Structures are given as structure tokens and as C-alpha cells.
Amino acid sequence: AKAQLRAARDQADGLEAAGQAAAAAQIRAQLQPQAAQLETAEAELAKQQRRLGDGQAEYDDGLAELASAKTRMQSSEGVRFVSEAGDVAFMQVSFEQSMMEVSKEDRAAVQRIAEDALVPGLQADFSKDIVEDISQLFGAAEIIGISVAAAVLVIMLGTLVAAGLPLLMAVVGVGVGVGGTMALSGVVEMCSVSPVLALVLGLAVGIDYSLFIVNRHRTQLLAGMTLHESIGRATGTSGNAVLFAGLTVIIALAALAVPGIPFLTVLGLAGAATVAVAALVALTLTPALLAVIGPRILSRRAWARAEPVPAAGAAAPRRSWGRAVTRHPWLALLAGVAVLGTMALPAAELRLGLPDGSSEPAGSTAYQAYTQLGRSFGEGINGPLIIVADLPAGLDTAGQDEVLLRLSRELRAMDHVTAAIPANTSEDGRTAVLQVIPEGGPAAESTEDLVPALRAEAGGLASGAGADGVAGTGQPAMQIDVSDRLADAMPVYLAVVIGLSLVLLLLVFRSILVPLLATAGFLLSLGASFGAVVAIYQWGWLGSVFEGHDPGPVLSFLPMILIGVLFGLAMDYQMFLVSGMRESYAHGEDARSAVVSGFNHGARVVAAAAVIMASVFAGFIFSHLTMVRPMGFALALGVLLDA
């Protein structure tokens, strides 16, 4: 059309040059519709050409996206969100904040939305992170434990008034200590077990510390001492032992800051502060209330039967446990060491870790979610590792995908790896995240082997894939890091705790042998406690009794907490018993008789105190917070063995 139009115009120009203007004008008039039609056609052609260019670009983008999708599909090989049987599916929810900062309302909203969206016949289960709730520190098991402690107090002291006093002192101490801890949780990040540990220790030592003073006061009243003199004497003797015993526990708990792990530091300081408040309440409020209560601290029957009670320094009964042990000391010593040493044997196989969904109660939604995931998608889906890759500058999307595909292949080729999936890339294209799914669960030994292997081969993985660097994190990696850090800090922690406490006991007793004996007894009872924990919670012995349906590693920070608390309590009982022996010796008895009479005066109250403390601890063996359960068991057993 252009060529025809050009030829016609040339003809018109020739006619015009030959003087035939009229003929030229006629030709040009005939050409105008054709020229307009041509312009319209050219515009349409240009439009079509632009559409073609856009289509070509879209096609090229589609090819690139398809290639990228193929690459990602290859990287995601072996991963699925619906089980092969088609009966289980899972979804991951990412919050804007860290899980510790997600409110109870937001967690509940996730559960409500998921359940509302289900079609009839389907059921939703939620992970431990979603359903964990520490708003209630007390459950039924804890209340039973405290009830047992109250019953022991009533049986021992004979009146509700006398039994209620130590309980009241413990509640006041716990109210201040735990209340302060909970108040500080708004400004200090703390793990869920911090207020629970403060509660356990505050109740146990609060009852015991007041009990020692009340029991001494009652004994002195029955011996004929006047009320106010008895209160002062009880506070000056048993109260002095309470002071140094409390200091020992405070030192042991505050030393949990030694490893430099923030959550453990907060946990130790919260417990130490609560014990400090409990000791302060026992030394101040208990004597004041004893004065208010007056003679009612003893029942009428006790007053009626009252006979002068032998004071410290009086001759011991002809038959007593203390006299039997001192008569055959080597036999008693060897028997005790043999029993505790045998119990300690399983401790040689102690493995440390952090709790996961497998440790939740068997009927809970967290346990159901954990087991369903493991059964339908492999155990590793419950504890993926996170790999962070630094990518070279200047890569386009295809280049980034290619690097991630190579890295995914290298990761998948490692032992104990099921899949390695690129999850996200930063906006600047310099940082990428991959999820590595191990063969085993978060606490499996194969996963514990995989984490150090990944770190050891990080340089080779990066160079092989064309990345600038590779690093690993994730829940299993953090568990291993915390456990290793705690294991490395254990000798230093022991040295600090035992060293400071030995100095304290040296100052109190002016003796080297007494602190060393207390330390040896502590180590024996500690080893036996560790052995029992390993047998029950790691090996699964008596699993049906203690709800240990999925035995696994022991809570990583349990050893340090157990060492701190048991060492403090071991020193407590040693302090109370030896204080009585020393007092008898100061009143003129020979050494062996002083040991027996001091033991006889202190053994009954120490035994009752141990039963009370063990009852409080044992209440947490079946706690609604599963992390606390092995802690409650270890502390309860350790206290009984030490006593």
C-alpha cells in the first residue's frame, strides 16, 4: 500500500511539473482516503507490534519463572504438606514477634481460626508453642503436694495454729518473691520455668525455715522457758542456722549466672530472691507472730502432758538411731555409700536437651500434633534446622536459584538429612534461608551428630554451591549449643558454689571436717538423684507411673538447678544437725555423746522438714508444665536421700 501510494504521488508530481495541474490535483484527491486508511493501518500495526513485544517479554518472564519453579521443585524434593495417605495436612504460622512475645490472646486466636475453618469430621491439633500457657502456676498436682505438706505439719505440731504458721510464712514469702518475679517479666525476658522455680523453692524453704524456729520454740516452752525468752532463744539459735542456710541456697542459685546464659541467669536470680524473702520472713515475721499467738502454739493436751524436755547438752536416750549409727559408723558409712553409689550408676549415660512436644502429656493437643507430624511426615519435621547462606552480589533471580539448588543438593547429600528447601531470599538478594529436615526428631542422636557436621562442613558447602558463606541455627542447634555451654560451665559453677559455701561453713563451725562431710554427702545424694532421673526420664523406667511415654534427653539446665538447690539444702540439714551437736558440746558433753544428743534433738524436725519439702517438690512431678516434672522429681528424691 505504501509503494502504490508513493507511485501515485510521483505521477501527480510529474503531471504537475508538465503543466497539467488539474490532472495532478485530481490524482491527489483520489489518494487522500487511501492515505488515511494507510495511517490507520500503520497505527494498528504499531499497536500490535507493541503487544507482541509485551507478549514476548511476558513469555520470557514465564520461561524464567518456569525454570525457577523447576529449580525450586528440585530443591523441595521429598517435602510435602499433605501426607501420602491424604489424611493429615500441616501449616506453619509465622508471627511478627518472637514466640516469647506473642500474647495469649493471639495464640488463642490462631486456634479459634483454625478450628472454625475445619469441615465436619476433621480435627486440628496445635504445637507446644501455640498452646503453652503459664498464666496458671498452680495445677491440681501442686495443690495435692502442698496439702500433704500441711498434713505432715498438723501431725507433727498437733494444732492447726502451729501448722498454719509455717504455711502462712511460706505463702507470704512466695507472694512477695514470685509476685516480684512476675512483675519484672514485663521488662525482663524470662522463660516460663522462672516463676515456677521461684514458687517451688519459696514454698519449700519458707515452710522449712519457719518450722525450725517454731519447733525450737515449742520444745523450749515445754521445757519450762518463758514465752518471750523462748522466742528470742529460738530466733538466736535456729534462726542463726536459718540465716546461714538461706545464704548457702542463695549463693548456689545466684551462681547460675556463671555460665552467662541469660534465661538461666534470670531463673537463678528469681529463685535466689524468693529464697532471700522466705528467710527474711522467717527471721522477722515468724517471731512476731509467735508472740501474738502466745501459748496457743501448743495444744491443751500438749500442755497437760508437758514434762521438762531435755535441753541441748542433756544425756541422750539409751536407744536411738543416732546412737546405733555412731556405735557402728563404718558399717553405716559403707552401706550408705553402696546404696547411693549403685543408684548413681545410670548418671554416666546422662544426655542433655530441651523439651519438645514428645514430652507433653499423651492426651494433649501438643503431643498429638507432634506425633501426627512425625508419623505422617517424618520425625525431622518437628525440629527443622535453619541454614543461612550469604549470596554473591549481582546475581539475578535465576542465578540465586541456581546457587540455592546447588546448596540444597549438597545439604541433601549429607548423612541424616531428608530434605533441604530454600525458604526465602532477602529483598537485596544477598541473604537466603533454607530449611533442612533431619531424619530424626529434635532430640535424636542423629540430629545431635548432624548439627556439628553441618558447622564443620560450612566452608565446603559454601564454596561448592557458589555462596559467600553458610551458617546454621534452628531449635535443635540451639538446644545443642545451650547443653554444650552448660556442660562447659559445670566445673566452674561447682567450684564457685562449693568454694563459697565451704568458706561460709568454715566461718560458722570453725571446722574443716564438717563442711567436707556435708559436701561428700551432697555429692552422693546428687549422683543418686541424677541416676534416678536418667533411668526414669531418659531410659523410660516406670514410664507408666511418671507419664514418661517418650523417654529422651534430660532437661539441659536441670543438672545446674539440681546442684544449686540440693547443695543449698544439704548444707541446711547439715547446718541444723551440727548446730545442735555443737550446742550440746558447748554445754559440756564429750564429742561422741554430743553427736548423739544433738542428732536426737534435730533429727525429728529435719526428717519432717525433708518430708514437707519433698512433698512440695513432688507435687510438681505431675505438673501441667512438663518442663518442671523431671525437676520436681529430682529435687524431691534428692532432698529425701540427702536427709
Side-chain angles (χ1 to χ4, degrees):
K2 281 184 177 181
Q4 291 174 359
L5 186 61
R6 193 180 301 112
R9 284 175 175 167
D10 290 344
Q11 183 183 1
D13 291 342
L15 290 172
E16 197 171 46
Q20 300 180 21
Q26 186 179 2
I27 291 174
R28 286 197 171 95
Q30 292 173 351
L31 292 177
Q32 284 180 355
Q34 295 179 18
Q37 187 178 1
L38 181 60
E39 288 178 5
T40 301
E42 285 182 327
E44 181 64 25
L45 179 61
K47 181 179 178 182
Q48 295 290 347
Q49 286 176 330
R50 285 194 300 273
R51 287 182 63 188
L52 178 61
D54 292 342
Q56 184 66 45
E58 188 176 344
Y59 174 70
D60 293 339
D61 290 343
L63 284 178
E65 188 174 342
L66 179 62
S68 177
K70 286 181 178 178
T71 302
R72 290 174 184 171
M73 188 175 69
Q74 291 174 339
S75 302
S76 303
E77 185 181 348
V79 176
R80 53 192 308 128
F81 291 89
V82 177
S83 64
E84 291 185 2
D87 59 343
V88 179
F90 80 93
M91 175 187 293
Q92 288 181 323
V93 180
S94 297
F95 290 95
E96 293 177 350
Q97 312 102 321
S98 69
M99 281 308 298
M100 291 189 72
E101 296 172 334
V102 177
S103 68
K104 180 182 175 182
E105 291 73 23
D106 285 344
R107 296 172 196 244
V110 169
Q111 298 173 58
R112 187 173 61 254
I113 291 167
E115 288 169 345
D116 289 348
L118 293 177
V119 299
L122 293 188
Q123 174 184 340
D125 288 307
F126 304 92
S127 71
K128 178 173 174 284
D129 293 327
I130 295 289
V131 297
E132 188 174 48
D133 178 21
I134 62 155
S135 58
Q136 287 186 329
L137 296 180
F138 268 107
E142 290 88 338
I143 294 172
I144 291 172
I146 295 171
S147 301
V148 172
V152 173
L153 282 171
V154 172
I155 293 169
M156 179 188 175
L157 300 178
T159 69
L160 291 176
V161 172
L165 182 58
L167 285 172
L168 177 62
M169 297 300 93
V171 169
V172 171
V174 163
V176 175
V178 178
T181 301
M182 297 294 281
L184 286 173
S185 66
V187 292
V188 178
E189 189 173 281
M190 61 180 67
C191 68
S192 57
V193 78
S194 295
V196 179
L197 179 67
L199 172 71
V200 173
L201 292 177
L203 283 173
V205 302
I207 293 173
D208 274 10
Y209 289 168
S210 290
L211 174 62
F212 284 122
I213 296 173
V214 170
N215 184 71
R216 181 64 181 253
H217 172 57
R218 285 163 51 90
T219 303
Q220 292 171 164
L221 287 179
L222 290 173
M225 196 175 289
T226 62
L227 177 69
H228 289 288
E229 183 184 355
S230 176
I231 294 172
R233 185 73 63 86
T235 308
T237 52
S238 293
N240 190 52
V242 164
L243 173 63
F244 285 101
L247 285 174
T248 310
V249 180
I250 290 166
I251 288 171
L253 290 172
L256 288 173
V258 168
I261 298 174
F263 83 87
L264 195 60
T265 300
V266 173
L267 187 147
L269 293 178
T274 306
V275 171
V277 171
L280 190 62
V281 167
L283 292 171
T284 56
L285 197 55
T286 300
L289 285 178
L290 286 175
V292 172
I293 293 170
R296 287 175 297 164
I297 198 70
L298 287 163
S299 67
R300 290 179 182 177
R301 185 180 301 174
W303 280 116
R305 293 201 314 262
E307 295 178 6
V309 176
R318 293 181 60 81
R319 290 184 181 183
S320 71
W321 176 255
R323 187 177 294 280
V325 170
T326 53
R327 189 170 291 166
H328 307 285
W330 289 108
L331 178 61
L333 179 65
L334 291 174
V337 170
V339 171
L340 294 175
T342 302
M343 289 182 65
L345 290 176
E349 296 188 28
L350 177 67
R351 283 179 58 223
L352 300 178
L354 291 175
D356 51 36
S358 65
S359 62
E360 294 296 306
S364 67
T365 183
Y367 181 76
Q368 294 299 325
Y370 185 93
T371 53
Q372 279 274 35
L373 277 173
R375 188 163 51 243
S376 302
F377 303 97
E379 294 294 335
I381 202 73
N382 281 303
L385 292 164
I386 305 298
I387 300 297
V388 182
D390 295 327
L391 303 181
L395 291 179
D396 57 11
T397 303
Q400 295 170 10
D401 288 340
E402 188 59 34
V403 170
L404 294 178
L405 175 60
R406 288 198 296 267
L407 182 55
S408 174
R409 285 173 177 163
E410 291 197 27
L411 288 167
R412 202 181 294 112
M414 295 184 67
D415 292 338
H416 310 307
V417 172
T418 298
I421 316 108
N424 209 348
T425 305
S426 61
E427 290 185 5
D428 62 3
R430 296 300 309 278
T431 306
V433 172
L434 298 91
Q435 263 196 347
V436 173
I437 310 299
E439 287 178 355
E445 291 188 45
S446 61
T447 307
E448 292 180 4
D449 294 337
L450 174 60
V451 171
L454 279 170
R455 290 171 172 169
E457 298 181 25
L461 290 169
S463 60
D468 291 341
V470 168
T473 182
Q475 179 192 355
M478 290 187 286
Q479 289 180 0
I480 291 168
D481 288 345
V482 169
S483 299
D484 289 347
R485 184 82 170 268
L486 290 170
D488 292 341
M490 192 78 70
V492 180
Y493 175 71
L494 273 172
V496 170
V497 170
I498 294 177
L500 290 175
S501 299
L502 285 176
V503 170
L504 189 63
L505 290 177
L506 285 170
L507 293 174
V508 174
F509 292 113
R510 307 289 197 276
S511 164
I512 295 175
L513 184 60
V514 169
L516 291 179
L517 282 174
T519 303
F522 151 72
L523 291 174
L524 281 169
S525 57
L526 178 70
S529 300
F530 276 151
V533 168
V534 169
I536 289 173
Y537 291 96
Q538 185 175 311
W539 292 355
W541 291 11
L542 301 176
S544 59
V545 177
F546 294 98
E547 297 185 7
H549 43 73
D550 286 74
V554 174
L555 187 65
S556 59
F557 50 87
L558 175 60
M560 277 204 168
I561 292 174
L562 193 58
I563 288 170
V565 175
L566 282 189
F567 187 78
L569 299 179
M571 298 302 113
D572 283 6
Y573 296 150
Q574 188 84 356
M575 187 92 67
F576 287 116
L577 287 174
V578 178
S579 293
M581 297 172 189
R582 188 171 180 230
E583 193 176 343
S584 297
Y585 184 74
H587 281 81
E589 287 192 55
D590 65 89
R592 185 177 291 269
S593 298
V595 167
V596 176
S597 59
F599 176 88
N600 289 336
H601 282 95
R604 182 169 175 266
V605 70
V606 165
V611 171
I612 290 167
M613 191 172 283
S615 300
V616 175
F617 288 150
F620 291 82
I621 294 176
F622 301 99
S623 171
H624 60 296
L625 294 171
T626 53
M627 187 185 294
V628 180
R629 292 182 176 191
M631 195 181 303
F633 172 82
L635 290 172
L637 180 63
V639 165
L640 289 177
L641 291 175
D642 193 72

